[in-house]
Each structure stands twice: as structure tokens, then as C-alpha cells.
Amino acid sequence: MAPEESAEAAPLLRSFERRFLAARALRSFPWQSLEEKLRDSSGSELLLDILQKTVKHPLCVKHPPSVKYAWSFLSELIRKHEAIHTEPLDELYEALAEILTAEEPTRCHRSYLLPSGDSVTLSESMAIISHGTTGLVTWNAALYLAEWAMENPAGFAHRTVLELGSGAGLTGLAICKMCRPRAYVFSDCHSHVLEQLQGNVLLNGLSLEPNVTALAQHPGHDTADAESPRVTVARVDWDVVTAPQLAAFQPDIVIATDVLYCPETVLSLVGVLQKLSACQKDQRAPDAYVAFTIRNPETCQLFTTELGRAGIPWEEVPRHDQKLFPYEEHSEMAILKLML
């Protein structure tokens, strides 16, 4: 591929790479742009480059997506090639043959590239909702808040973060790798989610403290040159956790993403936020940020109404500029800053 062609193809390659590694829906890929590029070129270099950026990507080889997903992607890539070029491309068929002989694993992976060149890889449930919880997959608002945090790292640097309803762990892992917090507490109440969280923390090269007591027993880790934060995974049931138990985490910042999916969770969340408002550290309550996708305006309205009843002021955080992760373009998302 000529240098000028390579430069023109770079955004397309980057789009395919990020979407494939994150196992986004195939309909979200820029197939039309690919067809236009293929018509303008008689060579196969672009398709071979896409192959290296997707199925053959080192992250994909080490932490593969589902076999069905890889098969569907390669099949579509082959269809696009055959619709324009009559000569088969052996490398595509060889890659497909490898996929066809592979067994479907019990778990699949998604990987998200970070601006530093590092990445976050998650092991996730194959089903959207399994084991009675929505916490086993990554939702759009988790990506959105992670982007905002990386654009505002100073707000997290050398501070202790408590995340409510951590799910698969994307937001927290990105913050741990990019924003240099002093300590990070992932939390959830479902045993399957907690087990997966622990696995994803270790998968991304972070070490785990056994409990919050161990987390608080290392004041020497507060130094600015600490390489990575102290991390723990905690069971927090919003309906039964007490204010002293929350205070034991000593949070400077509290975050939550995509937890406004029904009225019951809204009421539970506001309840735990009220308890957190009593968690004074250095004579002040922690900052709190809640990110969510606006699926049902009535549920979002309920949240702000209940915040008012609880006496918790809030303001909407301005939309951030950078879009690092491949989430649905049409999703309407918001981040609220709460003054506990």
C-alpha cells in the first residue's frame, strides 16, 4: 500500500481494530467505507491489514472473543472482498478455517485500547443477562465515564475511589491504569459479579488486597510515585450496608455507572448515597459521580427527584470531547456530579 493510501486507510483500520477488540455489533463497523476503499484499490493490502488489526491482533490471539463472533466477522469480511474482487484471498480463508476448528469457550473477552498504549481486557459472560444480574457485561455508560475520567485524571490522582455496582470492571480498570488513584474499591452484591471482578483485576496485572482492612493498613502507599493503586473487591449490598461500613473504605470519590435501570435500584442507590454523605474524611463528604444511559426518561427523573427529597444537590457534568471507546453513537448519556 502506497504511503498516501496507508495514511488515508489509518482511520478505517483504527475503527475496525477498536470495534473488533471490543466485540461490538457487526452492524456498527464502517463496512460502506471499506467497500469504497476496496473499489478504489486493486490490491489486497487493506484486507490483510484489517486481518492483522482484528483476528490476528496480539490481544485477540491472547484473549479471544467468542468463536461465533470471530466467525461472523470473517464471513462478512470475505463477502465484502468477493463482492468486488474475483480472486479469493487465501489468508482470509485460512483464518476462517482456524476459527471453524476452534471450540467455543465458556467465557469470551473484550479489549479496550487506552491512549497510553496499554489496554483493558475483560472476561465477560456470553449472555447479556445471566445468573440473575446485569453486572456481567460492560454497558455504554461505563465506557463514557472512563473517557471522562481519563480526560480529568487530576480529579482521581492520589485519591481513594469507591465504585458502586462495578459490573465487569471496565471503568475502574481504566481509572487504575490512567488516573493514578491511591486506592480503588470495586464493589457489587452478586457473587458471580464479584468473582468475575476479581478475575478481571488480576487479568489486567493489578494485585488485590484481601479486604478493606488490609487496604487501610498501608499508609505508606500514599506516595505520589506509587506505580499502581491498592485495589480491593468488596461485597456491598446497598439495602443492608451501614454508614460505618461505608466509612471504612475512606472514599474521596464515589462513582457508579449504568445503575439506573429500574425504580427499585434508583431508590436503593439514593439510600446508599445518603449513608455515604455521612462518611466525613478531612471534614468533608466524598465527591460522587453517577453516569447513565438515558433509556427511560421517567427513571432518570425519578433519580433526580429522589436526590432532591434526600437533600443531595446535583449538577450535570459538561459533555467531554474525546471518544476513545466504540460505543453506540446514538446513545444519550449523562454524568451527574452529586454534592453529598
Side-chain angles (χ1 to χ4, degrees):
M1 190 180 299
E4 61 273 12
E5 290 182 341
S6 180
E8 291 177 3
L12 183 67
L13 288 171
R14 187 162 52 249
S15 180
F16 268 86
E17 177 185 47
R18 291 183 179 274
R19 283 171 168 75
F20 183 83
L21 291 177
R24 302 303 296 186
L26 292 186
R27 66 178 180 275
S28 72
F29 283 67
W31 297 111
Q32 185 174 347
S33 297
L34 173 61
E35 290 176 356
E36 293 170 358
K37 294 285 186 186
L38 291 176
R39 289 193 186 95
D40 294 339
S41 174
S42 58
S44 57
E45 291 89 348
L46 178 57
L47 285 171
L48 294 177
D49 286 343
I50 288 176
L51 195 61
Q52 292 301 318
K53 291 286 189 180
T54 54
V55 178
K56 299 294 186 181
H57 195 288
L59 271 174
C60 177
V61 173
K62 187 176 182 180
H63 304 297
S66 74
V67 169
K68 181 179 179 182
Y69 181 80
W71 175 83
S72 298
F73 172 79
L74 278 173
S75 297
E76 185 64 22
L77 202 60
I78 288 171
R79 276 194 289 271
K80 298 301 182 188
H81 171 70
E82 291 181 340
I84 296 170
H85 299 298
T86 56
E87 288 294 322
L89 191 57
D90 291 343
E91 288 85 351
L92 290 179
Y93 289 98
E94 290 167 2
L96 185 62
E98 289 180 19
I99 295 296
L100 291 173
T101 58
E103 291 187 11
E104 186 70 82
T106 55
R107 308 193 66 79
C108 61
H109 299 85
R110 300 174 189 262
S111 293
Y112 301 88
L113 303 178
L114 302 176
S116 63
D118 200 351
S119 61
V120 170
T121 295
L122 304 177
S123 173
E124 293 191 344
S125 168
M126 304 285 279
I128 291 181
I129 299 178
S130 61
H131 301 292
T133 174
T134 58
L136 296 173
V137 296
T138 297
W139 298 93
N140 286 337
L143 301 168
Y144 187 69
L145 183 59
E147 287 179 339
W148 177 81
M150 286 187 286
E151 197 170 86
N152 299 275
F156 295 86
H158 319 308
R159 305 181 79 186
T160 296
V161 184
L162 168 63
E163 183 177 5
L164 301 172
S166 298
L170 180 280
T171 305
L173 290 167
I175 289 174
C176 285
K177 290 193 173 191
M178 295 294 297
C179 301
R180 298 176 65 82
R182 175 192 302 118
Y184 200 98
V185 181
F186 295 87
S187 76
D188 215 286
C189 66
H190 297 278
S191 58
H192 290 288
V193 177
L194 292 167
E195 181 182 345
Q196 175 178 266
L197 268 171
Q198 291 173 336
N200 282 335
V201 168
L202 297 174
L203 182 65
N204 285 274
L206 298 170
S207 57
L208 274 171
E209 298 294 331
N211 50 50
V212 67
T213 303
L215 196 70
Q217 287 176 344
H218 298 277
H221 195 80
D222 292 357
T223 54
D225 60 350
E227 290 185 4
S228 61
R230 305 197 72 85
V231 176
T232 191
V233 173
R235 182 185 296 275
V236 175
D237 186 326
W238 299 351
D239 294 322
V240 300
V241 70
T242 65
Q245 288 171 330
L246 292 168
F249 295 121
Q250 300 182 33
D252 298 298
I253 301 178
V254 177
I255 66 170
T257 68
D258 257 336
V259 292
L260 306 182
Y261 43 83
C262 67
E264 291 77 15
T265 61
V266 169
L267 297 176
S268 296
L269 176 61
V270 173
V272 81
L273 290 170
Q274 284 182 289
K275 297 170 189 174
L276 279 163
S277 66
C279 295
Q280 299 290 322
K281 184 177 180 182
D282 300 326
Q283 278 64 59
R284 64 189 297 271
D287 297 327
Y289 298 91
V290 178
F292 51 91
T293 304
I294 303 174
R295 299 185 185 88
N296 184 341
E298 292 181 359
T299 304
C300 299
Q301 180 63 47
L302 174 64
F303 180 52
T304 55
T305 299
E306 291 299 321
L307 287 175
R309 288 178 178 171
I312 300 176
W314 60 273
E315 63 184 23
E316 187 167 351
V317 174
R319 294 188 64 85
H320 55 273
D321 298 327
Q322 61 180 352
K323 186 174 185 301
L324 301 172
F325 300 124
Y327 46 80
E328 300 299 331
E329 299 282 354
H330 60 270
S331 296
E332 186 179 355
M333 288 174 282
I335 300 173
L336 300 188
K337 178 180 180 180
L338 315 181
M339 282 64 85
L340 300 182

